Amino acid sequence: MSSPQVYLVGAGPGDPELLTLKAVKYLQCADIVFYDYLVDERVLEYASKKAELVSLGIPYTGHKKKQTEINQLIIDAARSGKIVVRLKGGDPHLFGRLNEETEALRQAGIVYETAAGVTSASGAAQVAGFSLTDRVNASAVAFITGHLSYKHDPALPVLDYGRFAVFPGTLVFYMGVSTAGIWSRALLHGGMPEDTPVIFVQNATLPSERVVYSVLGRAAETVETQKLESPCIVIVQPQVE
Ligand code: SAH
C-alpha cells in the first residue's frame, strides 16, 4: 500500500494541548491544510510553516463551501502531489461528514488515513468537571445530533427525540442549541421529568468557554435568556429513581 496523500485529522475541541501527537505529526508534514470553522486558530500554528492554510468557511453565513466542492478541493490538491491535511473539529469520526469525504477519496483512488481527535463532548465534560458516565447513574451515553437539516430529505429517517426520554443514561446533544425547543419538548412529551438537569457548555476548552446550568423544562428559555450560541454541547442527565 502506498503512503497516504490525504490525512483526515481531528483537531480536538479547541485547546491546542488537546491535539493528539498524530495530529501534530501530520500538520508538520502538510503542504496544504483545509480546515473547518470549528478549528481554533491556535491549532493551526502547529502546521508546517510552508503549509498553505485554507478555510472552508463558516456555516449559515453563506460563506460555507458545499460538501461536493470540499471533496473536489481535497482531490485536486492530492492529485497535484501535495500532502493534504483535512482538519476537522473534535473527532472526525463523530458528526464530521467523514464518510462523505472518504467515499469521494476512495472513488478517486486516493490513499488516505484518518486520525481520531478528542470529541467536543469530552472537552465539554472536562470543562463542566464531571463524567458523562457514572457507575450508579449513567452506564450509557448517547451522542445525538440536534441538527435536523435532513428532515427535508425524505430518503433519510427523521430522528424521534421523544424516544430518548427512556434512554438509560446521559444524553449529549451536538448542534443542539438552536433546536433546544424541539428536542426538549419531545423529551418532555416522552415522559422525561421537567427538572432533569441540562448543562450547556459553550466554546468548551476555548478561552471564551462557559457553562450554563438549567433543567429540561426551561432549556429553550435558557438558550434565549443566556444568549447561548453554537458551538455548544448540551448534556442531559436523567436522574435514577
Ligand atoms: N466532530 C465534532 C463535532 C462536529 S458537529 C466533534 O467531535 O466534536 C459541530 C458541533 O460540535 C457543534 O454544533 C457543537 O455542538 C460541537 N462542538 C464542537 N466544538 C465545540 C466546542 N469547543 N465547545 C462546545 N461544542 C462544540
Side-chain angles (χ1 to χ4, degrees):
M1 188 88 169
S2 46
S3 53
Q5 299 154 273
V6 176
Y7 296 94
L8 300 119
V9 178
D15 179 354
E17 290 192 27
L18 291 175
L19 274 173
T20 63
L21 291 175
K22 222 173 216 198
V24 173
K25 180 173 84 179
Y26 294 152
L27 279 168
Q28 288 183 349
C29 72
D31 295 312
I32 187 162
V33 179
F34 292 106
Y35 63 96
D36 278 341
Y37 76 108
L38 279 172
V39 172
D40 191 68
E41 302 244 308
R42 294 169 303 164
V43 166
L44 298 172
E45 286 168 20
Y46 287 83
S48 148
K49 296 289 166 253
K50 68 172 172 37
E52 190 185 338
L53 304 176
V54 183
S55 161
L56 295 176
I58 304 169
Y60 318 116
T61 58
H63 298 295
K64 184 176 189 285
K65 296 210 185 318
K66 292 202 183 73
Q67 190 61 53
T68 47
E69 279 178 78
I70 294 173
N71 296 349
Q72 201 54 53
L73 281 171
I74 299 171
I75 290 168
D76 290 347
R79 285 195 172 137
S80 73
K82 291 179 177 157
I83 306 266
V84 181
V85 165
R86 169 70 172 105
L87 200 55
K88 289 171 175 279
D91 181 357
H93 305 86
L94 268 172
F95 302 125
R97 300 221 174 174
L98 183 70
N99 289 348
E100 285 90 326
E101 290 176 25
T102 53
E103 181 56 29
L105 291 170
R106 251 195 308 274
Q107 280 180 13
I110 289 168
V111 183
Y112 65 86
E113 199 174 294
T114 69
V118 174
T119 190
S120 48
S122 300
Q126 175 193 297
V127 173
F130 57 77
S131 170
L132 298 177
T133 56
D134 183 86
R135 285 199 342 135
V136 178
N137 291 304
S139 300
V141 183
F143 291 151
I144 308 166
T145 174
H147 197 282
L148 297 165
S149 64
Y150 50 75
K151 77 179 174 193
H152 301 299
D153 183 346
L156 294 171
V158 171
L159 194 52
D160 179 357
Y161 291 120
R163 298 179 73 164
F164 289 102
V166 292
F167 182 78
T170 307
L171 308 182
V172 179
F173 285 92
Y174 289 69
M175 298 166 276
V177 75
S178 63
T179 54
I182 297 172
W183 54 256
S184 63
R185 218 174 309 123
L187 290 175
L188 290 166
H189 197 248
M192 198 178 261
E194 284 193 4
D195 60 355
T196 305
V198 173
I199 299 104
F200 294 88
V201 187
Q202 186 178 335
N203 296 330
T205 82
L206 294 162
S208 53
E209 72 191 12
R210 65 194 273 239
V211 184
V212 173
Y213 299 89
S214 182
V215 289
L216 191 60
R218 288 205 304 274
E221 187 190 315
T222 302
V223 169
E224 293 294 318
T225 56
Q226 297 293 316
K227 299 191 172 26
L228 284 158
E229 281 174 13
S230 180
C232 196
I233 283 285
V234 195
I235 302 167
V236 180
Q237 291 182 308
Q239 303 297 288
V240 170
E241 298 293 307

